[in-house]
Amino acid sequence: AQSVTQPDIHITVSEGASLELRCNYSYGATPYLFWYVQSPGQGLQLLLKYFSGDTLVQGIKGFEAEFKRSQSSFNLRKPSVHWSDAAEYFCAVGTNYGGSQGNLIFGKGTKLSVKP
Amino acid sequence: DGGITQSPKYLFRKEGQNVTLSCEQNLNHDAMYWYRQDPGQGLRLIYYSQIVNDFQKGDIAEGYSVSREKKESFPLTVTSAQKNPTAFYLCASSPRYNEQFFGPGTRLTVL
């Protein structure tokens, strides 16, 4: 069965420090991969997506992610964190075959806190 | 502006009542989705619809019902059969087989 694991429930980083949020997936075929961000009480906003091609994907707000097939990972990175990046981050894998094509399976999220 | 709207933002329900959450999109997307979000649980799929007049159960459909009579609208009814309905509900839409776009959510509280 398809699944997404975000090993870190909560991460705290200092403002200006680099960030890496981990995501591992289990999927039988070439996955569609996404990172979303959610501020408290709000909906989810798409940061970036990977469908095919270049394994290093650039997104909005200075985020990037790298798809590593051999490690079944799609980690999110940012070189310098801003206080406004404090939020919850969700990794998701999209199913691309069968009757549920287009559905997303989400990880449980990583909450990011930023220290001044 | 194109987007997804959900109403109301906050909803209170007495035990034994059915309530309906609204979701409307003007993005001309074929597919629409309902998720439930609980702290530490991520998003769990309740129902989805890939085309008008058709919908499928997700992972936690028990106690919920939906309809898809128009492309723009996908209302969710939380019935009295849902034993623990207090949660944050998110609606999303998608141009099929692509990323999903989310609404702002409805927080439902059972009194």
Side-chain angles (χ1 to χ4, degrees), chain A residues 32 34 36 38 41-44 46 49 51 88 90 99-104 106-109, chain B residues 9 33 35 37 40-43 45 48 50 88 90 97-105 107:
Chain A
Y32 298 162
F34 306 85
Y36 285 87
Q38 184 183 34
Q42 303 296 316
L44 275 67
L46 180 70
K49 61 185 178 182
F51 282 5
E88 191 156 20
F90 292 93
S100 63
Q101 190 170 2
N103 288 6
L104 297 183
F106 286 86
K108 294 189 176 182
Chain B
K9 185 170 179 64
Y33 307 82
Y35 294 92
Q37 187 177 25
Q41 295 297 313
L43 277 72
L45 183 63
Y48 63 100
Q50 294 180 341
F88 190 55
L90 287 161
Y97 319 138
N98 213 320
E99 70 262 31
Q100 294 180 15
F101 297 80
F102 283 81
R107 183 165 301 279

Side-chain angles (χ1 to χ4, degrees), chain A residues 46-97:
Chain A
L46 180 70
L47 285 176
L48 47 79
K49 61 185 178 182
Y50 171 79
F51 282 5
S52 64
D54 193 346
T55 56
L56 185 61
V57 180
Q58 301 298 321
I60 62 172
K61 304 185 180 188
F63 286 92
E64 66 178 26
E66 186 171 13
F67 170 57
K68 292 186 178 180
R69 185 188 301 275
S70 61
Q71 299 177 19
S72 298
S73 69
F74 189 55
N75 294 349
L76 182 71
R77 301 194 294 246
K78 187 170 185 178
S80 178
V81 170
H82 188 262
W83 64 267
S84 61
D85 293 324
E88 191 156 20
Y89 293 79
F90 292 93
C91 181
V93 60
T95 57
N96 53 16
Y97 64 88

